[in-house]
Amino acid sequence: MPGRGPTYNALRHMPPFDLSSWLNLRTAEVDAALDRSLPKESKKPSTIHKAMRYSIFAGGKRMRPALVLAAAEACGRPNPDSYSLACAVECIHTYSLIHDDLPGMDNDDMRRGKPTNHKVFGEGMAILAGDALLTQAFEIAALCESNSRYSHRDLVLELARASGSLQLIAGQVADLEGEGKPTSRAQLRYIHERKTSALLCCSVRLGGMSVGCKPQQLEALTDFGYHVGLAFQVIDDILDVTQSSEVLGKTAGKDVKAGKATYPAIVGLDESRRIAAALTRKAFAALKPFRGKATALEAIAEYLLKRDH
Ligand code: GRG
């Protein structure tokens, strides 16, 4: 019908979305924004700025920033605050990886295909680099503007709640305390919701909020982020036992060695794959209200299910 735009069926026949080009472009934009946001290496005290930049630019997949921008696209047009919030979540994510790798936590030597932060800069500096990235995230978020639906306070609160002691840190606490102990599926779900899903969910919510999404859209993004976040961790657990350290860029097989509860350990590999696929289907279903306009989010969810690292 002329003048009414393509119907949902017509959209289904549009050329397939080129996620690889989309990700390359978005990653380059986010990297440039991160480069502008973080103090230069030469800025005194230069060791800390070198350590922060070492891990931020070590070659992560940038999935959380991608989710921020894809959600912003689903609800409108990404703006400078969408990019700032994409940088903020990546800073929080990178801080959590640096601290997770420390001898007092997972004690890992390799991350993002490189020696871990403490292996290069020493334990004390790695702790500070993580602290500084966490703080940097809030400085970046604090500089965002309010929009017609969400205040600048809403944005900062969103980030604080996802990364605080009830979510991200709660997940890590349960993970540490559960090592070597029998874990039920319900306990494992509790850990995954906090350790992984909270920040992925926060990423899509912040993307929508940055462009002033409607409450129904925020609800749909929350549902999507929750399920895609859970699927992400189940896949991460599967890859830990099926891939090599070279492919993963981090030590493979560590979960089993550390006596960590994982889906493959509790229900086996085949059932874990079925669970990841079912969670991804739920994530897709959450995008229905966008009526085909959440193309990048759909493509990312599919990619995350099929990824090999
Ligand atoms: C607060 C210290 C602290 C930890 C919080 C996030 C976390 C808990 C620990 C980090 C290690 C871990 C297994 C996290 C679960 C989420 C996850 C699978 C992270 C890896 O994310 P990717 O694959 O990593 O997106 P890249 O390097 O590609 O960004």
Side-chain angles (χ1 to χ4, degrees):
M1 213 181 287
R4 292 186 65 185
T7 62
Y8 187 66
N9 270 346
L11 285 170
R12 294 178 80 86
H13 298 294
M14 282 169 81
F17 180 73
D18 181 0
L19 181 66
S20 172
S21 306
W22 186 92
L23 279 177
N24 286 341
L25 176 67
R26 293 307 187 211
T27 302
E29 289 171 342
V30 168
D31 283 359
L34 280 165
D35 187 40
R36 288 192 299 274
S37 304
L38 296 183
K40 298 282 168 228
E41 280 194 8
S42 55
K43 185 91 182 159
K44 281 187 183 167
S46 65
T47 320
I48 186 69
H49 300 133
K50 278 186 189 146
M52 289 160 77
R53 283 174 170 267
Y54 173 79
S55 291
I56 274 279
F57 294 113
K61 294 186 287 298
R62 301 281 193 250
M63 279 304 128
R64 290 148 194 85
L67 287 168
V68 174
L69 298 172
E73 277 184 15
C75 305
R77 202 175 162 174
N79 57 36
D81 282 348
S82 316
Y83 283 90
S84 294
L85 294 164
C87 291
V89 291
E90 186 64 18
C91 286
I92 291 186
H93 169 56
T94 305
Y95 123 77
S96 78
L97 298 180
I98 295 174
H99 280 193
D100 186 62
D101 291 334
L102 286 167
M105 297 225 198
D106 270 9
N107 193 17
D108 227 317
D109 293 350
M110 199 163 79
R111 171 72 68 181
R112 295 179 162 173
K114 292 186 167 179
T116 44
N117 199 290
H118 65 272
K119 284 281 158 192
V120 178
F121 296 94
E123 212 176 317
M125 199 56 67
I127 293 172
L128 291 172
D131 292 343
L133 284 171
L134 175 62
T135 312
Q136 188 75 53
F138 283 94
E139 180 175 337
I140 295 171
L143 291 169
C144 289
E145 306 281 345
S146 297
N147 58 48
S148 57
R149 280 210 177 81
Y150 305 98
S151 68
H152 137 271
R153 176 175 169 268
D154 293 331
L155 301 172
V156 177
L157 263 180
E158 185 70 32
L159 206 56
R161 289 193 172 138
S163 54
S165 63
L166 297 179
Q167 294 294 331
L168 187 69
I169 291 177
Q172 185 74 346
V173 170
D175 196 76
L176 281 178
E177 290 183 342
E179 270 180 29
K181 293 185 193 148
T183 308
S184 67
R185 263 178 83 160
Q187 285 165 319
L188 191 56
R189 176 62 71 101
Y190 173 96
I191 296 174
H192 288 190
E193 280 172 353
R194 285 155 187 82
K195 185 174 89 165
T196 313
S197 187
L199 196 56
L200 275 91
C201 189
C202 166
S203 301
V204 286
R205 281 173 57 89
L206 282 174
M209 289 165 81
S210 70
V211 296
C213 68
K214 295 182 188 134
Q216 306 90 293
Q217 290 178 315
L218 190 59
E219 217 174 284
L221 289 174
T222 309
D223 194 8
F224 171 82
Y226 173 76
H227 288 103
V228 103
L230 290 178
F232 189 91
Q233 186 58 56
V234 179
I235 299 291
D236 197 75
D237 287 356
I238 293 172
L239 294 176
D240 185 67
V241 288
T242 56
Q243 290 290 6
S244 66
S245 302
E246 287 67 37
V247 172
L248 294 180
K250 60 183 179 182
T251 317
K254 276 215 72 172
D255 295 341
V256 178
K257 255 196 204 151
K260 279 202 183 178
T262 64
Y263 271 95
I266 294 183
V267 299
L269 268 176
D270 286 347
E271 182 60 12
S272 300
R273 288 195 180 103
R274 272 192 287 276
I275 291 172
L279 288 165
T280 304
R281 276 196 299 277
K282 285 189 179 166
F284 269 114
L287 296 177
K288 267 208 178 120
F290 293 101
R291 300 176 61 81
K293 277 178 68 188
T295 335
L297 284 177
E298 282 177 6
I300 292 172
E302 193 182 345
Y303 161 76
L304 290 179
L305 180 67
K306 295 184 179 157
R307 73 197 168 104
D308 65 358
H309 69 289

